[in-house]
Amino acid sequence: MTNPKIIKCSQKLPREFYTRANVVTIARELLGKLLVVPARDGTRVSGMIVEVEAYRGPLDRAAHSYGGRRTKRTETMYGVGGTTYVFFVYGMYYQFNVVTNARDIPHAILIRAVEPVEGIALMRKRRHRQPDHNLTNGPGKLCLALDIDRRLDRADLLGNRVWLEEGEKIPRSRIMSGPRIGIDYAEEWVDKPWRFWIRDNPFVSKR
DNA sequence: TGTCCGATTGGT
DNA sequence: CCAATCGGACAG
């Protein structure tokens, strides 16, 4: 389960990684990165990102920020790249997003699945002893396993509550893409291939 | 204030 | 295939 190829004592990804303009490119590059959310006692709990979706702000009908919509909930999407957008859906689940681009340009990347790397025993406890392959293979599930909720909305990814590290290099040949999930309302944007995942990785969400 | 529905999940 | 479950968005 533990991935030996993950580089330990890695540095946080720099602000410049997140503030670039092309959210689709950044989304693809997030595959293989390590998402770290320390537990209350400071223990490292982390997972390698294996599936993401890019949301392209005002132009993208699937995005909460479509048409420049700016409300109490979506306000954090307008923050500077390298911050978080965490929202609540279906009355029971949270969804974790990485905000990209400059302040006031509401681009975001939904983290759909990670592969458990550190703190797996704690993840099992938080997920009520589900089998390991079911711990973090979906956007709502990974928030439960990593203890992500509204407290982590608007967090700075260069701070100490949640951050990303370099992780593992994924060869281009192992990266797959396809339409995003659960956005049937998005009209002509439904077919945009802005979902990316690592081929054959067992922690990619079911479909 | 009232209604509609969701960037999901787990069980039938 | 469908229910769970509740806050956000928007109409009135």
Side-chain angles (χ1 to χ4, degrees):
Chain A
M1 176 68 59
T2 303
N3 191 328
K5 284 174 292 193
I6 297 292
I7 303 158
K8 292 297 174 59
C9 51
S10 185
Q11 299 270 318
K12 288 168 186 163
L13 296 183
R15 180 75 62 196
E16 302 78 51
F17 176 86
Y18 303 105
T19 53
R20 289 174 293 159
N22 193 329
V23 66
V24 177
T25 296
I26 301 173
R28 197 188 303 113
E29 292 177 5
L30 283 186
L31 295 176
K33 300 286 190 280
L34 197 65
L35 171 59
V36 185
V37 186
R40 303 184 74 87
D41 66 0
T43 311
R44 284 175 61 101
V45 180
S46 70
M48 183 181 76
I49 296 172
V50 301
E51 181 183 358
V52 297
E53 283 176 358
Y55 285 85
R56 219 179 159 188
L59 296 174
D60 178 4
R61 186 74 175 74
H64 292 164
S65 53
Y66 174 66
R69 197 166 74 205
R70 192 162 184 160
T71 65
K72 189 159 200 168
R73 178 176 68 154
T74 63
E75 182 59 31
T76 61
M77 275 184 96
Y78 290 78
V80 68
T83 55
T84 66
Y85 170 46
V86 178
F87 66 93
F88 186 66
V89 266
Y90 297 116
M92 56 191 105
Y93 299 112
Y94 289 96
Q95 309 276 296
F96 178 79
N97 291 254
V98 170
V99 172
T100 67
N101 214 314
R103 179 171 298 285
D104 293 329
I105 301 179
H107 289 183
I109 299 164
L110 172 68
I111 308 302
R112 286 195 56 89
V114 303
E115 173 177 333
V117 174
E118 298 167 282
I120 300 175
L122 190 51
M123 292 191 211
R124 291 187 184 116
K125 188 176 175 184
R126 290 168 174 168
R127 291 284 291 127
H128 210 260
R129 308 184 199 294
Q130 297 261 354
D132 284 1
H133 70 269
N134 209 30
L135 255 25
T136 55
N137 60 337
K141 298 178 196 178
L142 89 252
C143 285
L144 291 169
L146 295 175
D147 193 28
I148 291 170
D149 62 23
R150 71 177 74 256
R151 295 169 308 183
L152 281 185
D153 184 33
R154 203 176 208 136
D156 188 353
L157 291 172
L158 278 86
N160 295 318
R161 294 192 297 158
V162 53
W163 65 86
L164 269 56
E165 298 178 1
E166 194 52 49
E168 182 180 338
K169 172 70 178 172
I170 309 298
R172 186 63 81 100
S173 61
R174 284 179 53 210
I175 297 179
M176 309 295 287
S177 66
R180 295 168 293 179
I181 293 174
I183 54 153
D184 296 340
Y185 53 84
E187 299 166 22
E188 71 268 30
W189 298 88
V190 293
D191 296 320
K192 296 288 182 186
W194 292 346
R195 171 179 174 240
F196 299 96
W197 67 94
I198 298 176
R199 179 162 61 177
D200 297 331
N201 185 286
F203 296 90
V204 170
S205 70
K206 306 299 176 199
R207 187 58 189 120

